Amino acid sequence: MTHRLEDVTALFDGLFGPRYNTRLERGGDEPLYRPADEACPWHRVIFARGFFASALHEISHWCIAGEQRRLLEDYGYWYHPDGRSAEQQRLFEAAEVAPQALEKLFSAACELPFHVSVDNLDGRVEVDREAFQARVAARAARYEQEGLPLRAAAFRAALQHFYQQGQPLKQAVTSGLAILERDHNEGQGALSR
């Protein structure tokens, strides 16, 4: 199966464009989340340099970010580039376990290999890649057992239907929308009781 950026963009935009006013966009060297503003009427999940894995990673962050965080550029999080101290690296890894666990599940849904990113390659601080990889795998297993966040579950379903079952894009999007709609209807039922 070919993994085209146009396909993952169509799946994301089809699922989340109408309900969340959010689109996936190819960017430059650095990924970025930008909320809607005067210059652009929709929220943008911008992934780096046209890399498929970067798209999945940035989508993972978006699937975890709460409503208020999605109103802030880069969800209001700090980011220290390559060359972090040991403490900064520890904080980075703590913040990255959940998104990388979702990225691992999304990669599996696309039938792609997944590689953790410790994102600190200058060598000033020793990084235990295997330990971090084990934490990410454990978090992914916990998601499998306890359930994924709603938007992540919908996106993974769309990926599975498209990449594993060979459904057309529109049908794969519909499978994800069904998850979003089911949750919406359950919430409405709870409100009316």
Side-chain angles (χ1 to χ4, degrees):
M1 155 103 10
T2 303
H3 292 83
R4 299 175 337 130
L5 293 172
E6 297 82 6
D7 295 333
V8 75
T9 300
L11 290 169
F12 183 90
D13 291 358
L15 272 173
F16 304 120
R19 182 171 292 204
Y20 295 94
N21 190 35
T22 305
R23 296 183 188 174
L24 181 65
E25 295 182 4
R26 180 181 183 158
D29 288 340
E30 294 296 329
L32 181 67
Y33 172 76
R34 298 197 85 156
D37 57 22
E38 314 78 48
C40 185
W42 58 84
H43 310 297
R44 293 165 285 164
V45 176
I46 303 168
F47 62 97
R49 291 182 249 161
F51 293 143
F52 198 91
S54 178
L56 296 181
H57 182 79
E58 296 312 311
I59 292 166
S60 299
H61 277 287
W62 182 83
C63 286
I64 292 173
E67 190 174 345
Q68 292 303 309
R69 287 244 182 230
R70 293 192 314 269
L71 298 176
L72 305 171
E73 183 167 292
D74 254 358
Y75 315 108
Y77 290 122
W78 59 267
Y79 178 76
H80 295 286
D82 198 21
R84 288 188 287 274
S85 69
E87 178 61 13
Q88 289 169 335
Q89 184 65 24
R90 187 188 67 71
L91 292 171
F92 169 82
E93 290 180 13
E96 281 288 314
V97 169
Q100 289 198 36
L102 286 181
E103 180 187 352
K104 178 180 175 63
L105 296 174
F106 293 163
S107 295
C110 296
E111 300 183 329
L112 284 173
F114 167 75
H115 306 283
V116 296
S117 173
V118 293
D119 199 29
N120 201 13
L121 307 174
D122 77 349
R124 288 184 3 193
V125 173
E126 188 172 328
V127 175
D128 189 345
R129 184 183 220 34
E130 290 76 29
F132 182 59
Q133 187 168 337
R135 289 173 55 211
V136 168
R139 185 65 181 103
R142 198 169 119 210
Y143 273 135
E144 289 281 29
Q145 184 179 29
E146 297 172 2
L148 279 69
L150 176 64
R151 286 170 285 136
F155 187 64
R156 182 170 77 159
L159 292 173
Q160 289 172 324
H161 282 85
F162 183 73
Y163 289 105
Q164 294 178 15
Q165 298 174 16
Q167 291 183 353
L169 283 168
K170 187 171 184 163
Q171 199 172 340
V173 167
T174 299
S175 69
L177 289 173
I179 291 172
L180 295 175
E181 191 59 35
R182 184 175 59 234
D183 183 75
H184 176 73
N185 289 339
E186 289 172 5
Q188 291 300 317
L191 291 174
S192 63
R193 288 185 210 141

